[in-house]
Amino acid sequence: SYVLTQSPSVSVAPGQTARITCGGDNIGSKSVHWYQQKPGQAPVLVVFDDSDRPSGIPERFSGSNSGNTATLTISRVEAGDEADYYCQVWDSSSDYSFGGGTKLTVL
Amino acid sequence: QITLKETGPTLVKPTQTLTLTCTFSGFSLRTGGVGVGWIRQPPGKALEWLAVIYWDDDKRYSPSLTRRLTITKDTSKNQVVLTMTNMDPVDTATYYCAHRRYGDYSGWFDPWGQGTLVTVSS
């Protein structure tokens, strides 16, 4: 299966920018999707196809993908952004793969 | 509006077979390109993809669990059923079903059901 590596945790002060990374072999050649999961809730899609946002997701959430790293960027972080974030890809050989998740703490 | 809901037992014994049903609305599995997937999450751990079924009845399974999983669909009832054999305490998890969307050479899950916690214990 295709391995996706995420840092376990990221901390940021309110109003600052959080960057959550997802590493994978030549991940830049794949489309990366990001989910937000708050405690006790189901995951919610926040970015798809590297950098597209579903309707209803604030513009503060953006994504990029190049080389061996994809990044979810959250600008002007708010207390309500505190959650676990997961990256995910699909490819024809491994089907669906999820990263190990990153816990975002808002200080 | 697309919604999904998982139903099934909350407690199963080791070696038993788990059967979970995903009942959905707002889309049809008769429509080209549509899929429904199952994903699980052990308490405090990461998401793990299990299986997906597509509109054309193509089925894909996680390589690590393929021998234990079966996914089927009933398009008339708008349901997808996942069975997992030989349950073990390590299979204790919240099980989610989700609508699969797709783009060019990509696929993702949106939205997800609320999830159902399954505990494996004697």
Side-chain angles (χ1 to χ4, degrees), chain B:
Chain B
Q1 179 194 6
I2 291 175
T3 63
L4 308 98
K5 185 175 182 180
E6 308 86 351
T7 54
T10 57
L11 179 66
V12 298
K13 290 181 167 48
T15 76
Q16 286 186 337
T17 294
L18 171 68
T19 299
L20 294 172
T21 300
C22 176
T23 303
F24 57 85
S25 64
F27 67 96
S28 171
L29 263 173
R30 293 189 176 96
T31 304
V34 173
V36 172
W38 285 93
I39 303 100
R40 72 177 178 179
Q41 184 175 39
K45 296 190 177 181
L47 301 170
E48 178 185 19
W49 171 71
L50 301 177
V52 67
I53 189 165
Y54 298 107
W55 81 103
D56 60 358
D57 210 37
D58 186 23
K59 303 162 188 179
R60 304 288 183 177
Y61 299 100
S62 166
S64 62
L65 292 166
T66 187
R67 287 185 292 180
R68 298 175 55 206
L69 294 173
T70 302
I71 190 169
T72 60
K73 62 181 172 66
D74 186 332
T75 52
S76 65
K77 293 182 178 178
N78 280 352
Q79 290 182 333
V80 170
V81 175
L82 181 75
T83 62
M84 180 180 291
T85 60
N86 195 25
M87 293 292 285
D88 183 271
V90 300
D91 297 312
T92 294
T94 296
Y95 288 76
Y96 297 97
C97 65
H99 173 255
R100 191 217 65 147
R101 299 186 188 271
Y102 65 99
D104 293 337
Y105 300 104
S106 74
W108 62 92
F109 298 103
D110 174 58
W112 297 50
Q114 65 188 24
T116 185
L117 175 61
V118 178
T119 301
V120 185
S121 174
S122 55

Side-chain angles (χ1 to χ4, degrees), chain A residues 1 30-31 33 35 37 40-45 48-49 54 84 86 88-101, chain B residues 39 41 44-49 51-52 54 60-61 63 96 100-115:
Chain A
S1 64
K30 306 180 188 300
S31 293
H33 320 292
Y35 303 89
Q37 186 181 34
Q41 298 183 19
V44 172
L45 181 75
F48 66 96
D49 277 352
D84 294 328
Y86 293 91
Q88 177 251 310
V89 302
W90 174 89
D91 71 10
S92 58
S93 55
S94 304
D95 281 302
Y96 301 88
S97 301
F98 286 93
Chain B
I39 303 100
Q41 184 175 39
K45 296 190 177 181
L47 301 170
E48 178 185 19
W49 171 71
V52 67
Y54 298 107
R60 304 288 183 177
Y61 299 100
Y96 297 97
R100 191 217 65 147
R101 299 186 188 271
Y102 65 99
D104 293 337
Y105 300 104
S106 74
W108 62 92
F109 298 103
D110 174 58
W112 297 50
Q114 65 188 24

